[in-house]
Amino acid sequence: MTTSTTVPAQISARALARRRRREAWRRGWATFRQHRSGMIGLGILFVFVGVALLAPVIAPSEGLSVTRATGGVLEAPSGEFWLGTDDKGRSVLTLLIWGSRISLFVGLAATLLSMVLGTLIGLMSGYFSGWTGAILFRLTEWFLVIPFLPLAIVMATTLGRSLINIVIVIGVTSWPGTALLIRAQTLTIRERPYIERAKVLGAGSGHQMRRHILPNVMPMVFANTTLTVAIAILTETTLSFLGLGDPTRVSWGSMLDAAFGVGAITTGSWWFIVPPGVCVVLVVLSFTLVGQALEEVLNPRLGARR
């Protein structure tokens, strides 16, 4: 009799939790839609993601081959080549479309690595006291003291020029800011009464961090993710422009590097250098706008100050 009573209670509790999550998502989406700049950023982001996913359909990969180039050297925009050609006769539009795949992939993958590292280290440094928390906090401070870009350049030079290495370099060098945010939030949450009740009931450290602290810091992680993606894309563009990117892949940064190398500015070949720069600016702007909107959704007090 006890078992038959407990099972429906558990089912109803889970159904109630799912319904509350759905309602929270609906409220969050309704608040996000009221943020005009956030919707603009989301629209721009959808366009770039769609172009990246449909790149093989929009512009076949044969257009990336130097041996199959059909245009002239730095040919101006025309009906055949809407954005002109590069110094090897390839369509700049084709390079731009395929470059979006690499730039977005590096930005998202590096951000994922950065968020995982920052969240784990922030949680543990904020929850554990004593030597464990102190060492993790000092490690975070050490990474913050070292200049970000020089450290990324040194690591990229040491590891070598490959796509995976660029992801590792950006992810490993961009986690400290997230770790500090998560640590500060964890220090606040661990003093709340329900954490004390969990301790009294015998919950271990892993259970407390996984079931009580992590769900409360995840909104901050989500909001910070969109801003970190923008930083990661800028870093990938910078490293590729400095010649530290993957030489076998086309990205917006490598396009800027190639345009600078052939003197596109001095020869007036604006179609080779302006489009990738504009794409970088638009993608970074879109992620920033979406991040600001998410901050307002997750922290209603920000909206009240507007």
Side-chain angles (χ1 to χ4, degrees), residues 74 83 92 96 241 252 255-261 263-266 268-279:
L74 295 177
L83 290 178
V92 172
L96 205 66
F241 178 74
W252 293 333
M255 291 179 66
L256 291 172
D257 180 36
F260 181 79
I265 298 177
T266 57
S269 304
W270 59 267
W271 56 88
F272 193 15
I273 196 168
V274 171
V278 170
C279 287

mmCIF file with all atom_site columns, all heavy atoms in Angstrom, residues 74 83 92 96 241 252 255-261 263-266 268-279:
data_model
loop_
_atom_site.group_PDB
_atom_site.id
_atom_site.type_symbol
_atom_site.label_atom_id
_atom_site.label_alt_id
_atom_site.label_comp_id
_atom_site.label_asym_id
_atom_site.label_entity_id
_atom_site.label_seq_id
_atom_site.pdbx_PDB_ins_code
_atom_site.Cartn_x
_atom_site.Cartn_y
_atom_site.Cartn_z
_atom_site.occupancy
_atom_site.B_iso_or_equiv
_atom_site.pdbx_formal_charge
_atom_site.auth_seq_id
_atom_site.auth_comp_id
_atom_site.auth_asym_id
_atom_site.auth_atom_id
_atom_site.pdbx_PDB_model_num
ATOM 1   N N   . LEU A 1 74  ? 42.471 39.169 -58.125 1.00 0.00 ? 74  LEU A N   1
ATOM 2   C CA  . LEU A 1 74  ? 41.845 40.347 -57.509 1.00 0.00 ? 74  LEU A CA  1
ATOM 3   C C   . LEU A 1 74  ? 40.893 41.041 -58.479 1.00 0.00 ? 74  LEU A C   1
ATOM 4   O O   . LEU A 1 74  ? 40.916 42.256 -58.659 1.00 0.00 ? 74  LEU A O   1
ATOM 5   C CB  . LEU A 1 74  ? 42.919 41.318 -57.021 1.00 0.00 ? 74  LEU A CB  1
ATOM 6   C CG  . LEU A 1 74  ? 43.825 40.812 -55.876 1.00 0.00 ? 74  LEU A CG  1
ATOM 7   C CD1 . LEU A 1 74  ? 44.882 41.847 -55.538 1.00 0.00 ? 74  LEU A CD1 1
ATOM 8   C CD2 . LEU A 1 74  ? 43.001 40.466 -54.651 1.00 0.00 ? 74  LEU A CD2 1
ATOM 9   N N   . LEU A 1 83  ? 31.273 39.233 -55.127 1.00 0.00 ? 83  LEU A N   1
ATOM 10  C CA  . LEU A 1 83  ? 32.196 39.932 -54.229 1.00 0.00 ? 83  LEU A CA  1
ATOM 11  C C   . LEU A 1 83  ? 33.631 39.893 -54.763 1.00 0.00 ? 83  LEU A C   1
ATOM 12  O O   . LEU A 1 83  ? 34.589 40.036 -54.001 1.00 0.00 ? 83  LEU A O   1
ATOM 13  C CB  . LEU A 1 83  ? 32.146 39.322 -52.823 1.00 0.00 ? 83  LEU A CB  1
ATOM 14  C CG  . LEU A 1 83  ? 30.856 39.561 -52.032 1.00 0.00 ? 83  LEU A CG  1
ATOM 15  C CD1 . LEU A 1 83  ? 30.920 38.864 -50.677 1.00 0.00 ? 83  LEU A CD1 1
ATOM 16  C CD2 . LEU A 1 83  ? 30.583 41.039 -51.848 1.00 0.00 ? 83  LEU A CD2 1
ATOM 17  N N   . VAL A 1 92  ? 35.484 35.383 -53.677 1.00 0.00 ? 92  VAL A N   1
ATOM 18  C CA  . VAL A 1 92  ? 35.524 35.838 -52.291 1.00 0.00 ? 92  VAL A CA  1
ATOM 19  C C   . VAL A 1 92  ? 34.250 35.436 -51.564 1.00 0.00 ? 92  VAL A C   1
ATOM 20  O O   . VAL A 1 92  ? 34.276 35.106 -50.368 1.00 0.00 ? 92  VAL A O   1
ATOM 21  C CB  . VAL A 1 92  ? 35.734 37.366 -52.230 1.00 0.00 ? 92  VAL A CB  1
ATOM 22  C CG1 . VAL A 1 92  ? 35.577 37.884 -50.799 1.00 0.00 ? 92  VAL A CG1 1
ATOM 23  C CG2 . VAL A 1 92  ? 37.106 37.741 -52.770 1.00 0.00 ? 92  VAL A CG2 1
ATOM 24  N N   . LEU A 1 96  ? 34.019 33.385 -48.163 1.00 0.00 ? 96  LEU A N   1
ATOM 25  C CA  . LEU A 1 96  ? 33.301 33.982 -47.041 1.00 0.00 ? 96  LEU A CA  1
ATOM 26  C C   . LEU A 1 96  ? 32.300 32.991 -46.448 1.00 0.00 ? 96  LEU A C   1
ATOM 27  O O   . LEU A 1 96  ? 32.182 32.857 -45.225 1.00 0.00 ? 96  LEU A O   1
ATOM 28  C CB  . LEU A 1 96  ? 32.588 35.247 -47.511 1.00 0.00 ? 96  LEU A CB  1
ATOM 29  C CG  . LEU A 1 96  ? 32.271 36.319 -46.476 1.00 0.00 ? 96  LEU A CG  1
ATOM 30  C CD1 . LEU A 1 96  ? 33.554 36.921 -45.930 1.00 0.00 ? 96  LEU A CD1 1
ATOM 31  C CD2 . LEU A 1 96  ? 31.412 37.411 -47.114 1.00 0.00 ? 96  LEU A CD2 1
ATOM 32  N N   . PHE A 1 241 ? 44.828 35.906 -38.374 1.00 0.00 ? 241 PHE A N   1
ATOM 33  C CA  . PHE A 1 241 ? 45.417 37.067 -39.037 1.00 0.00 ? 241 PHE A CA  1
ATOM 34  C C   . PHE A 1 241 ? 46.923 37.131 -38.799 1.00 0.00 ? 241 PHE A C   1
ATOM 35  O O   . PHE A 1 241 ? 47.686 37.578 -39.668 1.00 0.00 ? 241 PHE A O   1
ATOM 36  C CB  . PHE A 1 241 ? 44.745 38.346 -38.528 1.00 0.00 ? 241 PHE A CB  1
ATOM 37  C CG  . PHE A 1 241 ? 45.310 39.609 -39.122 1.00 0.00 ? 241 PHE A CG  1
ATOM 38  C CD1 . PHE A 1 241 ? 45.021 39.965 -40.424 1.00 0.00 ? 241 PHE A CD1 1
ATOM 39  C CD2 . PHE A 1 241 ? 46.139 40.428 -38.378 1.00 0.00 ? 241 PHE A CD2 1
ATOM 40  C CE1 . PHE A 1 241 ? 45.543 41.126 -40.981 1.00 0.00 ? 241 PHE A CE1 1
ATOM 41  C CE2 . PHE A 1 241 ? 46.673 41.583 -38.913 1.00 0.00 ? 241 PHE A CE2 1
ATOM 42  C CZ  . PHE A 1 241 ? 46.374 41.935 -40.226 1.00 0.00 ? 241 PHE A CZ  1
ATOM 43  N N   . TRP A 1 252 ? 37.547 33.582 -41.639 1.00 0.00 ? 252 TRP A N   1
ATOM 44  C CA  . TRP A 1 252 ? 37.542 35.024 -41.880 1.00 0.00 ? 252 TRP A CA  1
ATOM 45  C C   . TRP A 1 252 ? 38.889 35.632 -41.490 1.00 0.00 ? 252 TRP A C   1
ATOM 46  O O   . TRP A 1 252 ? 39.352 36.572 -42.141 1.00 0.00 ? 252 TRP A O   1
ATOM 47  C CB  . TRP A 1 252 ? 36.406 35.664 -41.093 1.00 0.00 ? 252 TRP A CB  1
ATOM 48  C CG  . TRP A 1 252 ? 35.064 35.243 -41.588 1.00 0.00 ? 252 TRP A CG  1
ATOM 49  C CD1 . TRP A 1 252 ? 34.745 34.833 -42.845 1.00 0.00 ? 252 TRP A CD1 1
ATOM 50  C CD2 . TRP A 1 252 ? 33.846 35.183 -40.832 1.00 0.00 ? 252 TRP A CD2 1
ATOM 51  N NE1 . TRP A 1 252 ? 33.400 34.520 -42.925 1.00 0.00 ? 252 TRP A NE1 1
ATOM 52  C CE2 . TRP A 1 252 ? 32.832 34.728 -41.698 1.00 0.00 ? 252 TRP A CE2 1
ATOM 53  C CE3 . TRP A 1 252 ? 33.513 35.467 -39.510 1.00 0.00 ? 252 TRP A CE3 1
ATOM 54  C CZ2 . TRP A 1 252 ? 31.516 34.571 -41.284 1.00 0.00 ? 252 TRP A CZ2 1
ATOM 55  C CZ3 . TRP A 1 252 ? 32.208 35.300 -39.090 1.00 0.00 ? 252 TRP A CZ3 1
ATOM 56  C CH2 . TRP A 1 252 ? 31.224 34.863 -39.977 1.00 0.00 ? 252 TRP A CH2 1
ATOM 57  N N   . MET A 1 255 ? 41.360 34.943 -44.258 1.00 0.00 ? 255 MET A N   1
ATOM 58  C CA  . MET A 1 255 ? 41.075 35.820 -45.398 1.00 0.00 ? 255 MET A CA  1
ATOM 59  C C   . MET A 1 255 ? 41.672 37.205 -45.173 1.00 0.00 ? 255 MET A C   1
ATOM 60  O O   . MET A 1 255 ? 42.254 37.796 -46.091 1.00 0.00 ? 255 MET A O   1
ATOM 61  C CB  . MET A 1 255 ? 39.567 35.913 -45.623 1.00 0.00 ? 255 MET A CB  1
ATOM 62  C CG  . MET A 1 255 ? 38.911 34.636 -46.127 1.00 0.00 ? 255 MET A CG  1
ATOM 63  S SD  . MET A 1 255 ? 37.116 34.826 -46.346 1.00 0.00 ? 255 MET A SD  1
ATOM 64  C CE  . MET A 1 255 ? 37.065 36.026 -47.689 1.00 0.00 ? 255 MET A CE  1
ATOM 65  N N   . LEU A 1 256 ? 41.527 37.723 -43.964 1.00 0.00 ? 256 LEU A N   1
ATOM 66  C CA  . LEU A 1 256 ? 42.116 39.030 -43.658 1.00 0.00 ? 256 LEU A CA  1
ATOM 67  C C   . LEU A 1 256 ? 43.631 38.968 -43.745 1.00 0.00 ? 256 LEU A C   1
ATOM 68  O O   . LEU A 1 256 ? 44.278 39.911 -44.229 1.00 0.00 ? 256 LEU A O   1
ATOM 69  C CB  . LEU A 1 256 ? 41.676 39.476 -42.261 1.00 0.00 ? 256 LEU A CB  1
ATOM 70  C CG  . LEU A 1 256 ? 40.193 39.844 -42.095 1.00 0.00 ? 256 LEU A CG  1
ATOM 71  C CD1 . LEU A 1 256 ? 39.869 40.077 -40.636 1.00 0.00 ? 256 LEU A CD1 1
ATOM 72  C CD2 . LEU A 1 256 ? 39.855 41.079 -42.918 1.00 0.00 ? 256 LEU A CD2 1
ATOM 73  N N   . ASP A 1 257 ? 44.210 37.867 -43.299 1.00 0.00 ? 257 ASP A N   1
ATOM 74  C CA  . ASP A 1 257 ? 45.660 37.702 -43.379 1.00 0.00 ? 257 ASP A CA  1
ATOM 75  C C   . ASP A 1 257 ? 46.123 37.670 -44.837 1.00 0.00 ? 257 ASP A C   1
ATOM 76  O O   . ASP A 1 257 ? 47.116 38.317 -45.205 1.00 0.00 ? 257 ASP A O   1
ATOM 77  C CB  . ASP A 1 257 ? 46.061 36.420 -42.663 1.00 0.00 ? 257 ASP A CB  1
ATOM 78  C CG  . ASP A 1 257 ? 47.563 36.174 -42.699 1.00 0.00 ? 257 ASP A CG  1
ATOM 79  O OD1 . ASP A 1 257 ? 48.320 37.165 -42.629 1.00 0.00 ? 257 ASP A OD1 1
ATOM 80  O OD2 . ASP A 1 257 ? 47.976 35.011 -42.810 1.00 0.00 ? 257 ASP A OD2 1
ATOM 81  N N   . ALA A 1 258 ? 45.397 36.914 -45.677 1.00 0.00 ? 258 ALA A N   1
ATOM 82  C CA  . ALA A 1 258 ? 45.758 36.834 -47.091 1.00 0.00 ? 258 ALA A CA  1
ATOM 83  C C   . ALA A 1 258 ? 45.588 38.185 -47.786 1.00 0.00 ? 258 ALA A C   1
ATOM 84  O O   . ALA A 1 258 ? 46.422 38.580 -48.606 1.00 0.00 ? 258 ALA A O   1
ATOM 85  C CB  . ALA A 1 258 ? 44.905 35.771 -47.780 1.00 0.00 ? 258 ALA A CB  1
ATOM 86  N N   . ALA A 1 259 ? 44.504 38.900 -47.440 1.00 0.00 ? 259 ALA A N   1
ATOM 87  C CA  . ALA A 1 259 ? 44.275 40.218 -48.053 1.00 0.00 ? 259 ALA A CA  1
ATOM 88  C C   . ALA A 1 259 ? 45.370 41.196 -47.665 1.00 0.00 ? 259 ALA A C   1
ATOM 89  O O   . ALA A 1 259 ? 45.848 41.978 -48.502 1.00 0.00 ? 259 ALA A O   1
ATOM 90  C CB  . ALA A 1 259 ? 42.906 40.750 -47.628 1.00 0.00 ? 259 ALA A CB  1
ATOM 91  N N   . PHE A 1 260 ? 45.775 41.150 -46.420 1.00 0.00 ? 260 PHE A N   1
ATOM 92  C CA  . PHE A 1 260 ? 46.860 42.031 -45.980 1.00 0.00 ? 260 PHE A CA  1
ATOM 93  C C   . PHE A 1 260 ? 48.184 41.650 -46.642 1.00 0.00 ? 260 PHE A C   1
ATOM 94  O O   . PHE A 1 260 ? 49.000 42.505 -47.000 1.00 0.00 ? 260 PHE A O   1
ATOM 95  C CB  . PHE A 1 260 ? 46.993 41.967 -44.456 1.00 0.00 ? 260 PHE A CB  1
ATOM 96  C CG  . PHE A 1 260 ? 48.066 42.858 -43.887 1.00 0.00 ? 260 PHE A CG  1
ATOM 97  C CD1 . PHE A 1 260 ? 47.845 44.209 -43.731 1.00 0.00 ? 260 PHE A CD1 1
ATOM 98  C CD2 . PHE A 1 260 ? 49.295 42.331 -43.520 1.00 0.00 ? 260 PHE A CD2 1
ATOM 99  C CE1 . PHE A 1 260 ? 48.837 45.043 -43.210 1.00 0.00 ? 260 PHE A CE1 1
ATOM 100 C CE2 . PHE A 1 260 ? 50.287 43.145 -42.992 1.00 0.00 ? 260 PHE A CE2 1
ATOM 101 C CZ  . PHE A 1 260 ? 50.061 44.506 -42.848 1.00 0.00 ? 260 PHE A CZ  1
ATOM 102 N N   . GLY A 1 261 ? 48.388 40.342 -46.822 1.00 0.00 ? 261 GLY A N   1
ATOM 103 C CA  . GLY A 1 261 ? 49.636 39.876 -47.412 1.00 0.00 ? 261 GLY A CA  1
ATOM 104 C C   . GLY A 1 261 ? 49.811 40.286 -48.866 1.00 0.00 ? 261 GLY A C   1
ATOM 105 O O   . GLY A 1 261 ? 50.940 40.522 -49.313 1.00 0.00 ? 261 GLY A O   1
ATOM 106 N N   . GLY A 1 263 ? 48.482 42.990 -50.159 1.00 0.00 ? 263 GLY A N   1
ATOM 107 C CA  . GLY A 1 263 ? 48.341 44.437 -50.281 1.00 0.00 ? 263 GLY A CA  1
ATOM 108 C C   . GLY A 1 263 ? 46.995 44.874 -50.819 1.00 0.00 ? 263 GLY A C   1
ATOM 109 O O   . GLY A 1 263 ? 46.918 45.783 -51.662 1.00 0.00 ? 263 GLY A O   1
ATOM 110 N N   . ALA A 1 264 ? 45.922 44.241 -50.328 1.00 0.00 ? 264 ALA A N   1
ATOM 111 C CA  . ALA A 1 264 ? 44.588 44.587 -50.811 1.00 0.00 ? 264 ALA A CA  1
ATOM 112 C C   . ALA A 1 264 ? 44.224 46.031 -50.489 1.00 0.00 ? 264 ALA A C   1
ATOM 113 O O   . ALA A 1 264 ? 43.464 46.669 -51.226 1.00 0.00 ? 264 ALA A O   1
ATOM 114 C CB  . ALA A 1 264 ? 43.548 43.648 -50.207 1.00 0.00 ? 264 ALA A CB  1
ATOM 115 N N   . ILE A 1 265 ? 44.774 46.572 -49.409 1.00 0.00 ? 265 ILE A N   1
ATOM 116 C CA  . ILE A 1 265 ? 44.465 47.951 -49.029 1.00 0.00 ? 265 ILE A CA  1
ATOM 117 C C   . ILE A 1 265 ? 45.131 48.925 -50.003 1.00 0.00 ? 265 ILE A C   1
ATOM 118 O O   . ILE A 1 265 ? 44.500 49.859 -50.511 1.00 0.00 ? 265 ILE A O   1
ATOM 119 C CB  . ILE A 1 265 ? 44.924 48.227 -47.584 1.00 0.00 ? 265 ILE A CB  1
ATOM 120 C CG1 . ILE A 1 265 ? 44.174 47.321 -46.597 1.00 0.00 ? 265 ILE A CG1 1
ATOM 121 C CG2 . ILE A 1 265 ? 44.691 49.697 -47.230 1.00 0.00 ? 265 ILE A CG2 1
ATOM 122 C CD1 . ILE A 1 265 ? 44.628 47.487 -45.170 1.00 0.00 ? 265 ILE A CD1 1
ATOM 123 N N   . THR A 1 266 ? 46.396 48.695 -50.284 1.00 0.00 ? 266 THR A N   1
ATOM 124 C CA  . THR A 1 266 ? 47.123 49.626 -51.152 1.00 0.00 ? 266 THR A CA  1
ATOM 125 C C   . THR A 1 266 ? 46.684 49.534 -52.608 1.00 0.00 ? 266 THR A C   1
ATOM 126 O O   . THR A 1 266 ? 46.770 50.518 -53.348 1.00 0.00 ? 266 THR A O   1
ATOM 127 C CB  . THR A 1 266 ? 48.631 49.346 -51.057 1.00 0.00 ? 266 THR A CB  1
ATOM 128 O OG1 . THR A 1 266 ? 48.886 47.974 -51.403 1.00 0.00 ? 266 THR A OG1 1
ATOM 129 C CG2 . THR A 1 266 ? 49.139 49.606 -49.657 1.00 0.00 ? 266 THR A CG2 1
ATOM 130 N N   . GLY A 1 268 ? 43.614 48.900 -53.527 1.00 0.00 ? 268 GLY A N   1
ATOM 131 C CA  . GLY A 1 268 ? 42.208 49.275 -53.636 1.00 0.00 ? 268 GLY A CA  1
ATOM 132 C C   . GLY A 1 268 ? 41.269 48.100 -53.784 1.00 0.00 ? 268 GLY A C   1
ATOM 133 O O   . GLY A 1 268 ? 40.105 48.278 -54.187 1.00 0.00 ? 268 GLY A O   1
ATOM 134 N N   . SER A 1 269 ? 41.727 46.900 -53.460 1.00 0.00 ? 269 SER A N   1
ATOM 135 C CA  . SER A 1 269 ? 40.877 45.697 -53.567 1.00 0.00 ? 269 SER A CA  1
ATOM 136 C C   . SER A 1 269 ? 40.037 45.534 -52.304 1.00 0.00 ? 269 SER A C   1
ATOM 137 O O   . SER A 1 269 ? 40.203 44.594 -51.524 1.00 0.00 ? 269 SER A O   1
ATOM 138 C CB  . SER A 1 269 ? 41.752 44.461 -53.811 1.00 0.00 ? 269 SER A CB  1
ATOM 139 O OG  . SER A 1 269 ? 42.565 44.618 -54.946 1.00 0.00 ? 269 SER A OG  1
ATOM 140 N N   . TRP A 1 270 ? 39.116 46.459 -52.111 1.00 0.00 ? 270 TRP A N   1
ATOM 141 C CA  . TRP A 1 270 ? 38.308 46.489 -50.895 1.00 0.00 ? 270 TRP A CA  1
ATOM 142 C C   . TRP A 1 270 ? 37.452 45.243 -50.730 1.00 0.00 ? 270 TRP A C   1
ATOM 143 O O   . TRP A 1 270 ? 37.099 44.851 -49.614 1.00 0.00 ? 270 TRP A O   1
ATOM 144 C CB  . TRP A 1 270 ? 37.413 47.724 -50.893 1.00 0.00 ? 270 TRP A CB  1
ATOM 145 C CG  . TRP A 1 270 ? 36.486 47.784 -52.080 1.00 0.00 ? 270 TRP A CG  1
ATOM 146 C CD1 . TRP A 1 270 ? 36.711 48.413 -53.261 1.00 0.00 ? 270 TRP A CD1 1
ATOM 147 C CD2 . TRP A 1 270 ? 35.206 47.157 -52.195 1.00 0.00 ? 270 TRP A CD2 1
ATOM 148 N NE1 . TRP A 1 270 ? 35.650 48.231 -54.120 1.00 0.00 ? 270 TRP A NE1 1
ATOM 149 C CE2 . TRP A 1 270 ? 34.707 47.474 -53.477 1.00 0.00 ? 270 TRP A CE2 1
ATOM 150 C CE3 . TRP A 1 270 ? 34.426 46.379 -51.334 1.00 0.00 ? 270 TRP A CE3 1
ATOM 151 C CZ2 . TRP A 1 270 ? 33.472 47.009 -53.930 1.00 0.00 ? 270 TRP A CZ2 1
ATOM 152 C CZ3 . TRP A 1 270 ? 33.203 45.921 -51.773 1.00 0.00 ? 270 TRP A CZ3 1
ATOM 153 C CH2 . TRP A 1 270 ? 32.736 46.244 -53.070 1.00 0.00 ? 270 TRP A CH2 1
ATOM 154 N N   . TRP A 1 271 ? 37.062 44.609 -51.851 1.00 0.00 ? 271 TRP A N   1
ATOM 155 C CA  . TRP A 1 271 ? 36.167 43.458 -51.794 1.00 0.00 ? 271 TRP A CA  1
ATOM 156 C C   . TRP A 1 271 ? 36.833 42.236 -51.158 1.00 0.00 ? 271 TRP A C   1
ATOM 157 O O   . TRP A 1 271 ? 36.144 41.297 -50.774 1.00 0.00 ? 271 TRP A O   1
ATOM 158 C CB  . TRP A 1 271 ? 35.710 43.099 -53.199 1.00 0.00 ? 271 TRP A CB  1
ATOM 159 C CG  . TRP A 1 271 ? 36.848 42.841 -54.151 1.00 0.00 ? 271 TRP A CG  1
ATOM 160 C CD1 . TRP A 1 271 ? 37.495 41.666 -54.376 1.00 0.00 ? 271 TRP A CD1 1
ATOM 161 C CD2 . TRP A 1 271 ? 37.477 43.802 -55.000 1.00 0.00 ? 271 TRP A CD2 1
ATOM 162 N NE1 . TRP A 1 271 ? 38.491 41.829 -55.296 1.00 0.00 ? 271 TRP A NE1 1
ATOM 163 C CE2 . TRP A 1 271 ? 38.507 43.128 -55.716 1.00 0.00 ? 271 TRP A CE2 1
ATOM 164 C CE3 . TRP A 1 271 ? 37.278 45.156 -55.254 1.00 0.00 ? 271 TRP A CE3 1
ATOM 165 C CZ2 . TRP A 1 271 ? 39.326 43.766 -56.639 1.00 0.00 ? 271 TRP A CZ2 1
ATOM 166 C CZ3 . TRP A 1 271 ? 38.085 45.792 -56.166 1.00 0.00 ? 271 TRP A CZ3 1
ATOM 167 C CH2 . TRP A 1 271 ? 39.104 45.110 -56.861 1.00 0.00 ? 271 TRP A CH2 1
ATOM 168 N N   . PHE A 1 272 ? 38.155 42.276 -51.021 1.00 0.00 ? 272 PHE A N   1
ATOM 169 C CA  . PHE A 1 272 ? 38.856 41.153 -50.430 1.00 0.00 ? 272 PHE A CA  1
ATOM 170 C C   . PHE A 1 272 ? 39.023 41.313 -48.920 1.00 0.00 ? 272 PHE A C   1
ATOM 171 O O   . PHE A 1 272 ? 39.112 40.337 -48.193 1.00 0.00 ? 272 PHE A O   1
ATOM 172 C CB  . PHE A 1 272 ? 40.221 40.988 -51.103 1.00 0.00 ? 272 PHE A CB  1
ATOM 173 C CG  . PHE A 1 272 ? 40.925 39.682 -50.800 1.00 0.00 ? 272 PHE A CG  1
ATOM 174 C CD1 . PHE A 1 272 ? 40.250 38.601 -50.237 1.00 0.00 ? 272 PHE A CD1 1
ATOM 175 C CD2 . PHE A 1 272 ? 42.269 39.533 -51.086 1.00 0.00 ? 272 PHE A CD2 1
ATOM 176 C CE1 . PHE A 1 272 ? 40.895 37.408 -49.968 1.00 0.00 ? 272 PHE A CE1 1
ATOM 177 C CE2 . PHE A 1 272 ? 42.931 38.340 -50.811 1.00 0.00 ? 272 PHE A CE2 1
ATOM 178 C CZ  . PHE A 1 272 ? 42.240 37.275 -50.252 1.00 0.00 ? 272 PHE A CZ  1
ATOM 179 N N   . ILE A 1 273 ? 39.038 42.543 -48.441 1.00 0.00 ? 273 ILE A N   1
ATOM 180 C CA  . ILE A 1 273 ? 39.316 42.786 -47.025 1.00 0.00 ? 273 ILE A CA  1
ATOM 181 C C   . ILE A 1 273 ? 38.100 43.264 -46.235 1.00 0.00 ? 273 ILE A C   1
ATOM 182 O O   . ILE A 1 273 ? 37.977 43.001 -45.037 1.00 0.00 ? 273 ILE A O   1
ATOM 183 C CB  . ILE A 1 273 ? 40.477 43.809 -46.885 1.00 0.00 ? 273 ILE A CB  1
ATOM 184 C CG1 . ILE A 1 273 ? 41.045 43.773 -45.453 1.00 0.00 ? 273 ILE A CG1 1
ATOM 185 C CG2 . ILE A 1 273 ? 40.043 45.218 -47.275 1.00 0.00 ? 273 ILE A CG2 1
ATOM 186 C CD1 . ILE A 1 273 ? 42.344 44.515 -45.305 1.00 0.00 ? 273 ILE A CD1 1
ATOM 187 N N   . VAL A 1 274 ? 37.152 43.951 -46.876 1.00 0.00 ? 274 VAL A N   1
ATOM 188 C CA  . VAL A 1 274 ? 36.003 44.488 -46.159 1.00 0.00 ? 274 VAL A CA  1
ATOM 189 C C   . VAL A 1 274 ? 34.982 43.404 -45.779 1.00 0.00 ? 274 VAL A C   1
ATOM 190 O O   . VAL A 1 274 ? 34.540 43.350 -44.619 1.00 0.00 ? 274 VAL A O   1
ATOM 191 C CB  . VAL A 1 274 ? 35.331 45.614 -46.977 1.00 0.00 ? 274 VAL A CB  1
ATOM 192 C CG1 . VAL A 1 274 ? 34.007 46.032 -46.330 1.00 0.00 ? 274 VAL A CG1 1
ATOM 193 C CG2 . VAL A 1 274 ? 36.262 46.810 -47.089 1.00 0.00 ? 274 VAL A CG2 1
ATOM 194 N N   . PRO A 1 275 ? 34.563 42.502 -46.698 1.00 0.00 ? 275 PRO A N   1
ATOM 195 C CA  . PRO A 1 275 ? 33.533 41.508 -46.334 1.00 0.00 ? 275 PRO A CA  1
ATOM 196 C C   . PRO A 1 275 ? 33.871 40.641 -45.128 1.00 0.00 ? 275 PRO A C   1
ATOM 197 O O   . PRO A 1 275 ? 33.029 40.499 -44.229 1.00 0.00 ? 275 PRO A O   1
ATOM 198 C CB  . PRO A 1 275 ? 33.387 40.682 -47.616 1.00 0.00 ? 275 PRO A CB  1
ATOM 199 C CG  . PRO A 1 275 ? 33.760 41.615 -48.706 1.00 0.00 ? 275 PRO A CG  1
ATOM 200 C CD  . PRO A 1 275 ? 34.861 42.447 -48.142 1.00 0.00 ? 275 PRO A CD  1
ATOM 201 N N   . PRO A 1 276 ? 35.075 40.035 -45.032 1.00 0.00 ? 276 PRO A N   1
ATOM 202 C CA  . PRO A 1 276 ? 35.346 39.237 -43.813 1.00 0.00 ? 276 PRO A CA  1
ATOM 203 C C   . PRO A 1 276 ? 35.361 40.078 -42.549 1.00 0.00 ? 276 PRO A C   1
ATOM 204 O O   . PRO A 1 276 ? 34.921 39.620 -41.481 1.00 0.00 ? 276 PRO A O   1
ATOM 205 C CB  . PRO A 1 276 ? 36.714 38.609 -44.091 1.00 0.00 ? 276 PRO A CB  1
ATOM 206 C CG  . PRO A 1 276 ? 37.321 39.425 -45.165 1.00 0.00 ? 276 PRO A CG  1
ATOM 207 C CD  . PRO A 1 276 ? 36.190 39.938 -45.987 1.00 0.00 ? 276 PRO A CD  1
ATOM 208 N N   . GLY A 1 277 ? 35.859 41.314 -42.640 1.00 0.00 ? 277 GLY A N   1
ATOM 209 C CA  . GLY A 1 277 ? 35.841 42.182 -41.462 1.00 0.00 ? 277 GLY A CA  1
ATOM 210 C C   . GLY A 1 277 ? 34.429 42.517 -41.028 1.00 0.00 ? 277 GLY A C   1
ATOM 211 O O   . GLY A 1 277 ? 34.114 42.508 -39.824 1.00 0.00 ? 277 GLY A O   1
ATOM 212 N N   . VAL A 1 278 ? 33.547 42.792 -41.992 1.00 0.00 ? 278 VAL A N   1
ATOM 213 C CA  . VAL A 1 278 ? 32.152 43.093 -41.671 1.00 0.00 ? 278 VAL A CA  1
ATOM 214 C C   . VAL A 1 278 ? 31.471 41.880 -41.046 1.00 0.00 ? 278 VAL A C   1
ATOM 215 O O   . VAL A 1 278 ? 30.693 42.004 -40.091 1.00 0.00 ? 278 VAL A O   1
ATOM 216 C CB  . VAL A 1 278 ? 31.399 43.559 -42.933 1.00 0.00 ? 278 VAL A CB  1
ATOM 217 C CG1 . VAL A 1 278 ? 29.896 43.645 -42.673 1.00 0.00 ? 278 VAL A CG1 1
ATOM 218 C CG2 . VAL A 1 278 ? 31.933 44.902 -43.407 1.00 0.00 ? 278 VAL A CG2 1
ATOM 219 N N   . CYS A 1 279 ? 31.756 40.684 -41.566 1.00 0.00 ? 279 CYS A N   1
ATOM 220 C CA  . CYS A 1 279 ? 31.150 39.463 -41.011 1.00 0.00 ? 279 CYS A CA  1
ATOM 221 C C   . CYS A 1 279 ? 31.575 39.245 -39.567 1.00 0.00 ? 279 CYS A C   1
ATOM 222 O O   . CYS A 1 279 ? 30.760 38.872 -38.716 1.00 0.00 ? 279 CYS A O   1
ATOM 223 C CB  . CYS A 1 279 ? 31.538 38.261 -41.864 1.00 0.00 ? 279 CYS A CB  1
ATOM 224 S SG  . CYS A 1 279 ? 30.714 38.178 -43.462 1.00 0.00 ? 279 CYS A SG  1
#
